[in-house]
Amino acid sequence: MTATLAVLPGDGIGPEVTAAAIAVLTATSERFGIGLRFEEALLGGAAIDACGDPFPDETRAVCEAADGIFLGAVGGPKWDRGGPRPEAGLLGIRKAFGLYANIRPVAPILAVAESASPIRADRLRGVDLVFVRELTGGIYFGEKSRTPDGAVDTCSYSTAEIERVVHRAATLAMGRRRVLTSVDKANVLETSRLWREVTERVVRTSFPDLRLEHVLVDAMAMHLLARPADFDVIVTENLFGDVLTDEASMLAGSMGLLPSASLGDGTRGLYEPIHGSAPDLAGKGVANPCGAILSAALFVRHTLGRDDAATAIERAVCDVVTSGPRTPDLGGSAGTGDVTSAVVAAMAEVARSAAT
Ligand code: NAD
Ligand code: IPM
Ligand code: MN
């Protein structure tokens, strides 16, 4: 059987890190005997330039026909001056495929985090977090309006939207340390008070062996830096998850290291690094491809169900980040292509030693 991956390179460094992920996926599929083909389509600014629509029907059709979707990044200053926004394409695709749970693991590789992270090394030991960010609701998708002297964004959540993402996070937590941290702003927001109530109920009725704690988002922003090793699975709403995961990337040492999987109820997921299009780096060939490559590994695990191949990619990235070559964000001077070739070689080595 041959699986299809829809590939949406997007804008800025998106195409550069996407090429890296595809190179690693190609090598891995050959090595592990996985049938895989790629179907490229436009999203974001590239799609606006081509046809005026950040999420064209043709792209939707390519994604619908695919088993999984890979995205580089969208956006950039070129599209910041009015007109359709590239980000609308990304929000559209998440909503269109019901990808309500955005899984963002943060597992610092100590060999590099000790020098690249602004956080003291002793606080990074034992840090192994998984954020589960609600992705298709909240203030991102509420009604918006604009008048000459004001603007409104609406944050709304239904019970069902909270239930399904909490259920997902709790299931994940049960396979790990059996602790779930739910982050909200229940001292101020009505949506957060509902979030807390629903979370309590889901855990009480379906996960009686799970320890649940609630933390207010402002305090969480502080705890993440002060005692990150105390947390395991963290579930939160869309906007809080967006902000906290960029913060958490500094535990690993760079935005360029963090992958994500956006999942719905089926096996079709959207896999993307958490970083953006990094206009400051675009075209220079120095973007760190590891977040994109690790996102490809999540595709291999979640959509293709090939834990062996996914683990080989993850080990290879860990080896390369540990011993080099490294891109400038991690203190090195290597290019995106150097790191990619090193990961391909390391993956082959991992596969060889696993076979013997
Ligand atoms: P960004 O993530 O693009 O960049 C933030 C900082 O991190 C920059 O200094 C950048 O150089 C660095 N960085 C990011 N990725 C890196 C990598 N792979 N290797 C090394 N360094 C890396 O965020 P921004 O500058 O706030 O946003 C730029 C554009 O990207 C905006 O238009 C925004 O909307 C968009 N964006 C898109 C996505 C997405 O497509 N998933 C995510 C975030 C931001
Ligand atoms: C992310 C990005 C997106 C978000 C933007 C580009 C719409 O920041 O994937 O983290 O806010 O979800
Ligand atoms: Mn973000």
Side-chain angles (χ1 to χ4, degrees), residues 13 17 71-77 80 85 87 90 94 104 242 246 254-257 272-281 286-289 327 329:
I13 62 167
V17 299
L71 169 68
V74 296
D80 279 344
R85 291 201 61 99
E87 292 84 354
L90 177 55
R94 289 171 176 170
R104 297 186 162 188
D242 180 45
D246 270 28
S254 169
M255 283 276 278
L257 287 173
E272 47 169 331
I274 81 153
H275 64 72
S277 59
D280 51 329
L281 304 181
V286 293
N288 189 337
T327 42
D329 54 310

Side-chain angles (χ1 to χ4, degrees), residues 179-183 199 211-215 220 227 230-231:
V179 227
L180 178 64
T181 304
S182 173
V183 176
T199 304
R211 185 159 68 76
L212 171 68
E213 61 170 357
H214 303 282
V215 182
M220 190 64 193
R227 49 181 192 92
D230 288 353
F231 302 96

